[in-house]
Amino acid sequence: MSLSNAIERYLLQLLERARGGAVEIQRNALSEIFGCSPSQINYVLETRFTAARGFLVESRRGSSGFVRIVRLGAPRRVVELLDACVGDHIGQEESLHLIERLKTSGWLSAREAAMLAAAVRRECLAIPLPERDRLRARLIRAMVLSLARSDRDLVPGGEKDAL
Amino acid sequence: MSLSNAIERYLLQLLERARGGAVEIQRNALSEIFGCSPSQINYVLETRFTAARGFLVESRRGSSGFVRIVRLGAPRRVVELLDACVGDHIGQEESLHLIERLKTSGWLSAREAAMLAAAVRRECLAIPLPERDRLRARLIRAMVLSLARSDRDLVPGGEKDAL
DNA sequence: CTCTGAATGGTCAAAGAAGGTCAAAGGCGG
DNA sequence: CCGCCTTTGACCTTCTTTGACCATTCAGAG
């Protein structure tokens, strides 16, 4: 188990216990618990507690500074999520997190999520970067939005607002 | 007995013992066990643990990286259909017919078919021919086969025939 | 009120630690 | 001898960890 994974699990535990879905930590104190450099904490926050995984991180410097990690509820609309997470290019790992999130929030079934996940794998796309990341973004947008349309066609009033 | 075959048998044994049909190894550690170059492991994975033989290989680099080998099953009929219709490249119109066929025969739901149809459109792929037709073939294969696997994962006793 | 320094957290580039790719060399059966 | 399957090694990409240096806050001194 890597340091980053250990820190991630530790923070997830804190979030688990904390009522309200948010925790506040001190970067330096946490880094001492794990005997690592303070910037290691930033690395974990940047790679694990991202918007794509449904977290918001706020912080403040100076005396009595802090780092607050908030577990976000589902965003209002999928389009916003796409705009926020996908942009015009997106990497594989980020995509998989997004897909997982769309699944757990009920927007995608397990089968649909599996399809999407299979499609965005770099072994499947198999074209060189950076065009690969752009293609991946187009695919996710096209497929997810196609669901919105397909639902609208099937259910005339279907205003899915999960996410 | 060649090195490759020895490594293959070793990994198959690991898979045999491991419940869940998956094992994780470290490429460098394994190569040291067999006293060979690390890339030899890749060779074995590429030639023996292929999708065609019913395996999925995932990996991660960097500290505490790993290689995971998953044994999976896929229904025979769909595989045959893919081989027959898709090949290593396929055009848009042909794809849409295939998707329609998979839908009417019950393999795909309306939503899944819509997703696939959106993915294979040339406006979405947006790369030049002839690579576009090959990418389209890879996408269809990956997505349809992923469904077979996701079904197997969902149904407790789902030992669909082994491809 | 303003200035200043200690206490925090942030950034970024480089080094370290896996695994991946590819082409060339090595063997072996036909 | 030819062609296919193996094996290897040099070089590449990705993920992690660290450290030097930067930015922000706030309490207290002047």
Side-chain angles (χ1 to χ4, degrees):
Chain A
M1 168 74 57
S2 74
L3 220 197
S4 290
N5 288 160
I7 296 174
E8 177 189 11
R9 286 202 311 179
Y10 178 83
L11 291 174
L12 286 175
Q13 271 186 9
L14 289 189
L15 274 168
E16 203 67 34
R17 284 182 212 143
R19 292 300 137 211
V23 288
E24 259 181 35
I25 58 168
Q26 304 241 256
R27 188 183 73 148
N28 291 341
L30 183 55
S31 74
E32 282 200 7
I33 292 177
F34 284 92
C36 63
S37 74
S39 53
Q40 177 73 35
I41 307 302
N42 294 84
Y43 177 72
V44 174
L45 293 174
E46 284 160 18
T47 55
R48 270 69 167 181
F49 295 86
T50 62
R53 292 191 185 189
F55 295 97
L56 171 66
V57 176
E58 304 168 290
S59 66
R60 217 160 90 191
R61 310 183 185 195
S63 298
S64 70
F66 61 87
V67 174
R68 176 163 42 223
I69 305 172
V70 185
R71 185 163 236 153
L72 294 178
R76 251 186 129 51
R77 295 203 314 274
V78 174
V79 180
E80 283 173 2
L81 186 59
L82 288 177
D83 285 338
C85 293
V86 179
D88 79 316
H89 63 98
I90 184 172
Q92 172 173 314
E93 294 307 319
E94 220 179 335
S95 305
L96 294 176
H97 292 315
L98 173 59
I99 292 166
E100 182 63 23
R101 192 168 166 205
L102 287 166
K103 185 171 88 176
T104 57
S105 66
W107 184 258
L108 296 179
S109 71
R111 280 167 56 98
E112 291 156 1
M115 275 179 73
L116 245 172
V120 302
R121 292 182 64 84
R122 59 179 74 86
E123 294 85 345
C124 173
L125 302 183
I127 67 173
L129 288 171
E131 184 53 28
R132 185 166 73 227
D133 282 357
R134 283 196 279 274
L135 169 60
R136 185 182 287 115
R138 290 195 300 273
L139 278 168
I140 293 176
R141 276 180 183 285
M143 287 198 263
V144 172
L145 292 179
S146 80
L147 288 182
R149 262 177 264 119
S150 127
D151 286 348
R152 207 183 40 207
D153 292 347
L154 291 175
V155 186
E159 294 292 69
K160 284 237 173 156
D161 226 358
L163 259 271
Chain B
M1 168 72 56
S2 77
L3 220 197
S4 289
N5 286 330
I7 297 174
E8 177 188 12
R9 286 201 311 176
Y10 177 84
L11 290 174
L12 286 175
Q13 271 186 10
L14 289 189
L15 274 168
E16 205 65 36
R17 282 180 213 145
R19 280 300 105 199
V23 287
E24 255 180 39
I25 58 169
Q26 304 242 244
R27 188 184 73 149
N28 290 342
L30 184 55
S31 74
E32 282 200 6
I33 292 177
F34 284 91
C36 62
S37 73
S39 53
Q40 177 72 35
I41 307 301
N42 295 84
Y43 177 73
V44 174
L45 293 174
E46 284 161 19
T47 56
R48 269 71 166 179
F49 296 86
T50 62
R53 295 194 186 189
F55 295 97
L56 171 67
V57 176
E58 304 168 290
S59 66
R60 219 162 95 185
R61 310 183 185 194
S63 297
S64 69
F66 61 85
V67 173
R68 177 163 40 228
I69 306 172
V70 185
R71 179 166 239 154
L72 34 93
R76 208 169 254 127
R77 261 179 255 149
V78 174
V79 176
E80 284 170 3
L81 187 59
L82 287 177
D83 284 339
C85 293
V86 179
D88 79 315
H89 69 282
I90 184 172
Q92 173 170 314
E93 293 310 315
E94 220 179 333
S95 304
L96 294 176
H97 287 139
L98 171 61
I99 293 167
E100 182 63 23
R101 189 170 158 196
L102 286 167
K103 186 170 87 176
T104 56
S105 67
W107 274 104
L108 298 178
S109 70
R111 280 164 57 97
E112 289 154 8
M115 277 178 73
L116 247 171
V120 301
R121 293 185 64 84
R122 60 179 73 88
E123 295 84 349
C124 174
L125 303 182
I127 67 173
L129 289 170
E131 184 52 27
R132 185 167 75 227
D133 281 357
R134 282 195 281 272
L135 170 60
R136 185 181 286 115
R138 289 195 299 272
L139 279 168
I140 294 176
R141 277 181 183 284
M143 288 199 264
V144 173
L145 290 178
S146 78
L147 288 182
R149 185 159 80 87
S150 115
D151 287 347
R152 189 209 54 181
D153 290 347
L154 288 177
V155 182
E159 297 291 79
K160 303 228 175 149
D161 45 10
L163 173 58

